[in-house]
């Protein structure tokens, strides 16, 4: 912690300006010291910069340039909904946090480890889902960097070092969901930009140039990695862990202080993940769409068949009667089931299954979300699981080592709350989707600041659950996937302004009380001025869509044939 103390004496009516300059400058190695071989840092190259900003006009110009930079970024999407908390987060603070998480991933976070971390493979791919619309060219490079750390088997280092781009061997691989996230982030990038050339970009494995194949083949290997690792029920093997790093079904650690993420795991040919299964269905669907439009119809057909088979497996072995199970442990026993004394229902499979379209039409989705509302939802957000674990379970690992109501043991783990928002929107439940959105919205929670105890403009990783003595208190703000996922949930599924390969989908699912909303969205070089009207108090159902005064069938705004500048869009919700 550093501070400055400036003493000023002001006469009545007098004004003084004090400027603080904070920056970073790097000298070439041979010019680090002045004189050479001394221990005095060479400041000659930075002194002119300091001198420049002693000029008040230079400071004013720099601040104006900074404002213009952020105005440009934030103008990608601006909305007016009539709800101040939604507008405040969508227009300013949520994309701002998305930019921060893109830049830093979790590498600057000392919350968990008290030491530096690498860039997370899964983390960064999820961050890209919210970031691609802000600076697409940077998203493209990040995708290629991530793919270059992938291994030839399709596996992924769980983390890599951003300066060297080398995989972090201390953490290693074996988090069996990791490779699939690369498919989702690549698909999101192509939908946003229409840049199909990225699929043909040669990318090495583990940074070895001689191994390079197309990015498309990297995505193929991501799916193959899952298909080559299926367990007794036909569900994907969990490996070291899946999305929840703390569900360690192959660890069996009985040594205090031992790291669950680095300790030697058992072979692990039994423990399976329903979460990876649902994620696979979603990724296979996305890769099929990419393959079809990229001139690979046979691949597209094969991936749809794989998705259908995995969906059938989930319905056969992953359904517990009222909700989706979480996993099977190393002894083949269900996790996240009525059969369990603790940890009977988990949030992740309920959200991911519906995001993949599983249970949308057969009633299972409605049942699962009803169970979430009854058993997991609290005024402060949706809990990760219930009942909380009250003791350490050797066969479950780190998740049961936390006190009840904290972190992965039944807190409101905010990262997965948007999955339920998206699931509710997919079923047309606009009231509940937006209600869940507001429960963890930082702007709303400013009214609870004495309890929330976190910045009122930034999402936290976790909020203490109802089993904790301080239910509602937030922890670990800023560097969390919550930022990207909430941005996706509110902009693409509640407001329903969703990039697709063939245009911009307008499919809002909003509260009945909204009379509508307006939005300005930049997309593929065009500016779309959108007006949505809801005169009948509906949640969903675009029945009339006009683009530049012409009626368009359905709710897909087609891509213009040429440069048009501004495109006027009007939509009417009707029963």
């Amino acid at each position: 912690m550093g501070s400055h103390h400036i003493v000023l004496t002001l006469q009545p009516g007098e004004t003084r300006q004090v400027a603080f300059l904070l920056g970073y400058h790097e000298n070439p190695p041979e010019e680090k010291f002045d004189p050479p071989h001394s221990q005095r840092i060479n400041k000659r190259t930075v002194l002119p910069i300091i001198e420049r900003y002693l000029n008040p006009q230079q400071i004013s110009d720099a601040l104006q340039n900074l404002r213009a930079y952020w105005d440009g970024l934030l103008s990608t999407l601006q909305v007016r909904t009539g709800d101040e908390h939604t507008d405040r987060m969508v227009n300013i603070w949520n994309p701002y946090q998305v930019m921060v998480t893109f830049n830093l991933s979790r590498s600057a976070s000392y919350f968990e480890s008290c030491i530096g971390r690498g860039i997370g493979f899964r983390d960064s791919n999820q961050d890209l889902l919210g970031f691609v619309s802000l600076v697409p060219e940077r998203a493209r490079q990040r995708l290629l960097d991530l793919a270059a750390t992938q291994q030839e088997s399709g596996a992924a280092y769980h983390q890599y070092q951003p300066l060297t781009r080398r995989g972090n061997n201390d953490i290693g691989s074996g988090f069996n969901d990791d490779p699939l996230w690369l498919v989702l982030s690549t698909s999101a990038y192509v939908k946003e930009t229409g840049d199909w050339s990225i699929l043909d970009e040669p990318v090495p494995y583990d940074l070895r140039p001689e191994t390079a194949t197309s990015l498309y083949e990297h995505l193929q290997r991501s799916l193959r990695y899952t298909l080559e690792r299926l367990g007794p029920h036909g569900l994907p093997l969990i490996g070291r862990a899946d999305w929840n790093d703390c569900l360690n079904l192959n660890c069996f650690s009985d040594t205090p202080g031992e790291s669950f993420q680095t300790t030697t795991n058992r072979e692990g040919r039994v423990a399976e993940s329903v979460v990876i299964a649902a994620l696979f269905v979603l990724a296979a669907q996305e890769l099929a769409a990419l393959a079809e439009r990229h001139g690979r119809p046979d691949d597209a057909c094969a991936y749809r068949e794989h998705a259908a088979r995995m969906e059938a497996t989930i319905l056969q072995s992953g359904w517990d009667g009222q909700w989706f199970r979480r996993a099977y442990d190393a002894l083949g026993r269900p996790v996240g089931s009525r059969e369990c004394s603790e940890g009977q229902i988990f949030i992740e499979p309920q959200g991911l299954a519906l995001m993949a379209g599983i249970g949308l039409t057969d009633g299972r989705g409605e049942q699962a979300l009803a169970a979430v509302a009854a058993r997991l939802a609290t005024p402060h957000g949706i809990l990760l699981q219930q009942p909380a674990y009250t003791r350490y379970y050797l066969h479950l690992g780190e998740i049961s080592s936390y006190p009840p109501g904290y972190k992965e043991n039944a807190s409101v783990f905010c990262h997965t709350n948007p999955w339920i928002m998206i699931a509710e929107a997919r079923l047309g439940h606009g009231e509940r989707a937006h209600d869940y959105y507001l429960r963890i919205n930082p702007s709303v929670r400013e009214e609870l600041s004495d309890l929330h105890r976190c910045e009122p403009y930034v999402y936290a990783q976790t909020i203490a659950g109802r089993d904790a003595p301080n239910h509602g208190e937030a922890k670990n703000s800023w560097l969390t996937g919550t930022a990207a996922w909430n941005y996706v949930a509110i902009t693409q599924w509640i407001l329903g302004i969703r990039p697709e390969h063939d245009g911009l989908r307008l499919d809002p699912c909003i509260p009945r009380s909204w009379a509508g909303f307006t939005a300005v969205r930049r997309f593929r070089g065009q500016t779309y001025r959108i007006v949505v009207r809801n005169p009948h108090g509906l949640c969903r159902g675009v029945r009339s869509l006009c683009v530049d005064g012409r009626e368009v069938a359905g709710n897909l705004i087609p891509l213009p044939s040429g440069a048009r500048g501004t495109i006027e869009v009007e939509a009417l919700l009707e029963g």
Side-chain angles (χ1 to χ4, degrees):
M1 175 70 72
S3 63
H4 290 281
H5 181 198
I6 306 296
V7 178
L8 296 175
T9 301
L10 298 179
Q11 299 299 320
E14 182 183 4
T15 300
R16 298 278 298 277
Q17 184 183 66
V18 179
F20 294 92
L21 179 65
L22 177 66
Y24 171 83
H25 186 78
E26 186 169 344
N27 290 323
E30 65 276 10
E31 298 178 20
K32 184 174 183 179
F33 299 108
D34 182 26
H37 310 297
S38 72
Q39 291 299 304
R40 189 171 68 183
I41 295 295
N42 177 11
K43 299 181 181 179
R44 284 181 295 167
T45 52
V46 81
L47 288 175
I49 299 174
I50 297 173
E51 182 68 25
R52 183 194 316 161
Y53 288 108
L54 292 176
N55 182 332
Q57 187 58 50
Q58 290 285 351
I59 295 172
S60 178
D61 291 345
L63 287 173
Q64 187 57 43
N65 290 338
L66 182 62
R67 291 188 187 99
Y69 168 78
W70 278 106
D71 284 346
L73 281 180
L74 299 177
S75 65
T76 299
L77 175 64
Q78 290 286 294
V79 303
R80 294 292 179 268
T81 68
D83 179 78
E84 63 173 322
H85 304 297
T86 299
D87 293 355
R88 183 177 295 142
M89 293 305 297
V90 170
N91 293 336
I92 302 173
W93 292 109
N94 199 168
Y96 182 87
Q97 188 178 357
V98 165
M99 172 65 82
V100 171
T101 59
F102 174 84
N103 286 332
L104 299 177
S105 186
R106 317 295 176 266
S107 62
S109 172
Y110 294 85
F111 285 126
E112 285 84 6
S113 61
C114 298
I115 58 174
R117 299 172 60 183
I119 295 279
F121 189 89
R122 178 203 303 136
D123 295 332
S124 289
N125 276 294
Q126 290 180 93
D127 291 341
L128 279 165
L129 302 178
F131 180 80
V132 286
S133 63
L134 297 179
V135 192
E137 58 273 19
R138 290 189 65 195
R140 188 184 203 275
Q141 188 57 54
R142 176 62 57 82
L143 277 170
L144 298 176
D145 288 347
L146 287 165
T149 69
Q150 193 176 19
Q151 299 167 36
E152 289 186 87
S153 66
Y157 288 103
H158 196 49
Q159 298 171 6
Y160 74 96
Q161 296 302 324
L163 295 181
T164 64
R165 293 190 299 155
R166 290 287 178 189
N168 186 345
N169 283 313
D170 290 339
I171 300 297
S173 60
F175 296 78
N176 282 353
D177 66 308
D178 278 352
L180 296 173
W181 294 106
L182 182 64
V183 180
L184 298 193
S185 59
T186 301
S187 177
Y189 169 79
V190 176
K191 287 177 180 177
E192 178 66 36
T193 64
D195 175 17
W196 292 92
S197 69
I198 193 172
L199 297 180
D200 298 318
E201 194 78 32
V203 184
Y205 295 92
D206 207 3
L207 285 183
R208 291 181 291 117
E210 69 278 8
T211 65
T213 67
S214 68
L215 177 61
Y216 177 78
E217 185 169 331
H218 278 256
L219 305 184
Q220 290 182 296
R221 295 193 189 195
S222 293
L223 261 65
R224 191 182 312 144
Y225 178 86
T226 300
L227 290 171
E228 291 173 350
R229 290 160 179 80
L230 301 180
H233 296 89
L235 296 165
L237 295 171
I238 195 170
R240 185 174 290 279
D242 58 20
W243 173 87
N244 189 336
D245 289 331
C246 298
L247 185 62
N248 315 117
L249 302 182
N250 293 306
C251 184
F252 293 90
S253 174
D254 57 4
T255 303
E258 185 175 49
S259 169
F260 290 91
Q261 294 195 12
T262 59
T263 187
T264 302
N265 268 20
R266 294 187 179 182
E267 176 79 21
R269 303 302 303 178
V270 174
E272 300 163 292
S273 169
V274 177
V275 164
I276 298 179
L279 178 61
F280 175 86
V281 173
L282 182 57
Q285 293 167 348
E286 294 295 335
L287 187 53
L290 289 172
E292 188 169 59
R293 290 166 174 80
H294 198 53
R296 309 286 185 94
D298 292 343
D299 287 353
C301 183
Y303 293 135
R304 289 193 179 99
E305 289 176 358
H306 286 309
R309 280 197 292 271
M310 188 65 75
E311 179 176 353
T313 302
I314 292 171
L315 296 177
Q316 173 73 30
S317 300
W319 180 251
D320 198 60
Q322 292 181 290
W323 56 78
F324 292 97
R325 291 177 172 178
R326 180 62 176 79
Y328 285 89
D329 68 18
L331 298 177
R333 300 170 301 192
V335 178
S337 167
R338 291 170 297 172
E339 299 176 21
C340 305
S341 59
E342 297 180 330
Q344 294 177 341
I345 177 173
F346 282 72
I347 187 177
E348 308 104 294
Q350 322 313 323
L352 272 177
L354 281 154
M355 286 164 62
I358 304 167
L360 276 181
T361 59
D362 63 5
R364 285 183 172 93
E366 294 282 1
Q367 282 184 278
L369 293 186
V372 168
R375 304 194 55 162
L376 298 179
T378 79
H380 302 293
I382 308 168
L383 304 172
L384 196 144
Q385 94 274 7
Q386 277 289 289
Y389 295 115
T390 57
R391 65 177 180 86
Y392 177 60
Y393 289 91
L394 189 66
H395 67 288
L396 297 177
E398 186 173 3
I399 190 172
S400 60
S401 70
Y402 292 109
Y406 292 100
K407 289 282 285 177
E408 282 81 357
N409 188 11
S411 80
V412 175
F413 210 84
C414 298
H415 186 137
T416 49
N417 274 228
W419 298 359
I420 300 299
M421 300 171 204
I422 294 171
E424 294 284 5
R426 293 211 66 178
L427 284 173
H429 302 164
E431 297 284 353
R432 187 175 284 172
H434 192 252
D435 175 32
Y436 286 152
Y437 171 75
L438 293 180
R439 293 190 197 193
I440 64 169
N441 183 302
S443 177
V444 174
R445 296 187 66 79
E446 183 176 12
E447 299 173 6
L448 308 171
S449 56
D450 287 345
L451 171 63
H452 188 63
R453 301 182 70 182
C454 194
E455 300 97 322
Y457 46 84
V458 61
Y459 285 101
Q461 179 203 61
T462 178
I463 297 172
R466 64 176 168 226
D467 299 284
N470 54 345
H471 180 30
E473 182 180 14
K475 297 285 187 184
N476 299 8
S477 59
W478 283 105
L479 301 183
T480 165
T482 308
W485 274 114
N486 267 282
Y487 195 63
V488 169
I490 185 63
T491 62
Q492 296 187 23
W493 293 97
I494 297 176
L495 297 174
I497 306 170
R498 192 160 60 248
E500 293 190 2
H501 293 301
D502 302 319
L504 197 61
R505 182 78 62 184
L506 186 55
D507 185 24
C509 187
I510 58 177
R512 296 180 188 277
S513 59
W514 285 15
F517 64 89
T518 63
V520 178
R521 173 68 153 91
R522 288 206 317 265
F523 178 64
R524 300 196 194 180
Q526 315 292 331
T527 298
Y528 294 79
R529 300 181 65 87
I530 299 169
V531 178
V532 174
R533 305 187 194 283
N534 185 25
H536 306 297
L538 303 176
C539 286
R540 191 180 193 185
V542 172
R543 294 293 179 266
S544 172
L545 181 66
C546 289
V547 180
D548 281 340
R550 292 186 175 184
E551 192 163 340
V552 174
N555 61 1
L556 180 69
I557 307 168
L559 296 171
S561 55
R564 301 255 291 274
T566 299
I567 297 173
E568 303 290 340
V569 179
E570 292 189 28
L572 181 67
L573 301 188
E574 289 184 321

